[in-house]
Amino acid sequence: MRTHTIGATYLQVGVILTAFVAVLVAVVRTTAASGLVVHAAALLQPVVALVVLTAIVGLMMVVYRNVAVIRGTASARYFRTFTADQPAEWVERPARTYMNLLELPVLFYVACLLMLTTGGFDAVQVSLAWIFVMTRYVHAFIYIGFNHVPLRFAAFLAGVFTLAVIWTRFAEQNLNWHLS
């Protein structure tokens, strides 16, 4: 029974990621063909949207932890050393989500800053930036809301794939890679 469950889980993640990759390919092809002129504000909007998510999750972390201490379901002692009297898992979900928002998105922020600095971005990069931000919102919602690991993992990988495409396109468009 356990093997079947694991297999079904991987199948679920695989189907989600296959559909997501198909969407990524469609976005890159469709947006690239549009030839739109893009202004810096278009790339700044998804950056600001991700900062807003980080701020919301940071606020949730503070609220969840303080509510848990006030209700007596967590001790202030735990938050001094993070070693004793560990609170319920739901209390720490926003904190873990907040930490996730300070890890992978750093590469997104750097890519966006480099694109803005060099002017090396187009409508495809802006679309990819929004897709990356959406994957982070979905990941945060899943993690804090109901924490279904296969879905959370799929959202995480979708973000990783999107970020890889952003960086690959940036490198191709802005670096003179001469293979001799």
Side-chain angles (χ1 to χ4, degrees), residues 21-66:
V21 168
V23 168
L24 269 183
V25 168
V27 165
V28 169
R29 285 187 175 171
T30 303
T31 311
S34 70
L36 296 173
V37 175
V38 183
H39 299 284
L43 188 58
L44 285 173
Q45 290 170 347
V47 171
V48 170
L50 190 54
V51 170
V52 167
L53 174 62
T54 305
I56 290 168
V57 171
L59 180 62
M60 289 177 74
M61 174 182 65
V62 170
V63 169
Y64 275 47
R65 285 178 169 182
N66 282 291

Side-chain angles (χ1 to χ4, degrees), residues 23 27 32 34 59 61 80 83 89 94 107 123 128 146 165 176-177:
V23 168
V27 165
S34 70
L59 180 62
M61 174 182 65
R80 277 189 215 106
T83 56
E89 186 261 345
L107 295 172
L128 291 169
F146 54 94
V165 173
N176 294 322
W177 297 66

Side-chain angles (χ1 to χ4, degrees), residues 3 15 32-33 37 44 50 54 57 64 83 87 97 104-105 110 125 127-128 147 153 155 159 167-169:
T3 304
V15 167
V37 175
L44 285 173
L50 190 54
T54 305
V57 171
Y64 275 47
T83 56
T97 304
L104 185 64
V110 169
Q125 292 293 66
S127 296
L128 291 169
N147 199 22
F153 181 58
W167 271 100
T168 301
R169 290 190 85 254

